[in-house]
Amino acid sequence: MNKRFENKVVIVTGAAGGIGLAAVKRFASEGAGVTVVDLPGTALDVAADAAKAAGGEALIVEADVTNPSDVQNYVDRTAERFGGVDVLFNNAGIEGAVCPIEEYPLAEFEKVMAVNVTGVFLGMKSVVPALRQRGGGAIVNTASVAGLSGNSMIPAYVASKHAVVGLSRSGGQTYAAEGIRVNAICPSPVETRMMRSLEAGLEAESLEAAKALMTASIPAGRYGSPEEVAALVAFLSSDEAAFINGSVYTIDGAMTPH
Ligand SMILES: NC(=O)c1ccc[n+]([C@@H]2O[C@H](COP(=O)([O-])OP(=O)(O)OC[C@H]3O[C@@H](n4cnc5c(N)ncnc54)[C@H](O)[C@@H]3O)[C@@H](O)[C@H]2O)c1
């Protein structure tokens, strides 16, 4: 495997989740020092062990990405431990409730926006000075196919992921001249806990029927894997993607009509 991240330092948020963990393994296997960030009580030890098993070094930092001081802390602790920061995979997110707008609880709407939008915004805001100190770097924000089109059952999630696309485009334009790249990825359903939760919310005859319904909307005929998403994240974070900035990448088995 290429070692595109030798002497590079990467922060992964949502590192205890499906896509985050796959990204941690991928970055570590390519030589990165990785800070694994997630909520207290999540399986951050598993993520750190996976990074070490893949040949990298790992630092665990517990954080709620909606809390500005937690976010600044994961950046500062990373810089202390590894000497700087080169990449932020801004990936923590929640799905929220599964119901139409008029039934959607306001508190749940606000929570989804706090984690998925404020969390991504704070990550960008706090890491840019650290990336600048290294002479440039990369941010990859996890949006979704829900950031590109509507879905009547997950309105807060859709709104939040459209906002992630907007933040990514804006960040790319703001920092391109400084060699700081900001891109968004838009996965279709991926095999993680989040899809099990969304399938359960669909109230189909069975969980299998819900998954079949979701799969039918994907021309490739299957969900993506976390490892496939991690491969795109690693590419966008690497110097191979030096001219890719402010871009929005679908990884969706042709689900999104363009
Ligand atoms: N699984 C999919 O089908 C899919 C598709 C498109 C986009 N996404 C996005 O991918 C990202 C990762 O999701 P996943 O599928 O790995 O789901 P996941 O639930 O396995 O992982 C999400 C992680 O984010 C963490 N998190 C939640 N709130 C947090 C907070 N306030 N502070 C810190 N960490 C927090 C969770 O603890 C969890 O470990 C999310 O942004 C999600 O919206 C997922």
Side-chain angles (χ1 to χ4, degrees), residues 150-165:
N151 183 312
S152 52
M153 295 301 275
I154 45 172
Y157 188 75
V158 165
S160 72
K161 294 303 188 179
H162 275 71
V164 172
V165 167

Side-chain angles (χ1 to χ4, degrees), residues 99-172:
C99 61
I101 289 172
E102 67 194 285
E103 292 164 26
Y104 210 96
L106 174 60
E108 186 74 0
F109 181 87
E110 289 176 339
K111 187 172 173 199
V112 170
M113 297 305 274
V115 177
N116 295 4
V117 184
T118 307
V120 165
F121 163 74
L122 289 173
M124 293 172 69
K125 187 174 162 66
S126 289
V127 86
V128 160
L131 300 181
R132 186 179 285 130
Q133 277 196 353
R134 298 279 259 200
I139 299 171
V140 176
N141 294 328
T142 304
S144 166
V145 290
L148 302 171
S149 54
N151 183 312
S152 52
M153 295 301 275
I154 45 172
Y157 188 75
V158 165
S160 72
K161 294 303 188 179
H162 275 71
V164 172
V165 167
L167 281 169
S168 307
R169 289 182 168 141
S170 301

Side-chain angles (χ1 to χ4, degrees), residues 12 14-16 36-49 60-63:
V12 176
V36 295
V37 177
D38 210 304
L39 288 169
T42 57
L44 280 170
D45 50 341
V46 174
D49 289 348
I60 291 175
V61 182
E62 293 179 346

Side-chain angles (χ1 to χ4, degrees), residues 14-20 37-39 42 63-66 91-95 115-116 142-145 157 161 186-195:
I19 293 171
V37 177
D38 210 304
L39 288 169
T42 57
D64 179 341
V65 298
T66 69
N91 169 70
I94 57 173
E95 64 276 19
V115 177
N116 295 4
T142 304
S144 166
V145 290
Y157 188 75
K161 294 303 188 179
C186 294
S188 64
V190 178
E191 295 285 3
T192 72
R193 179 213 65 81
M194 187 172 285
M195 283 315 301

Side-chain angles (χ1 to χ4, degrees), residues 98 193-204 206-207 210-211:
V98 183
R193 179 213 65 81
M194 187 172 285
M195 283 315 301
R196 303 293 88 81
S197 160
L198 290 169
E199 288 157 3
L202 283 179
E203 291 175 7
S206 64
L207 291 177
K211 184 170 184 184

Side-chain angles (χ1 to χ4, degrees), residues 3-21:
K3 290 277 187 182
R4 293 174 293 187
F5 299 98
E6 292 273 25
N7 303 316
K8 300 276 189 190
V9 179
V10 178
I11 300 171
V12 176
T13 72
I19 293 171
L21 178 61

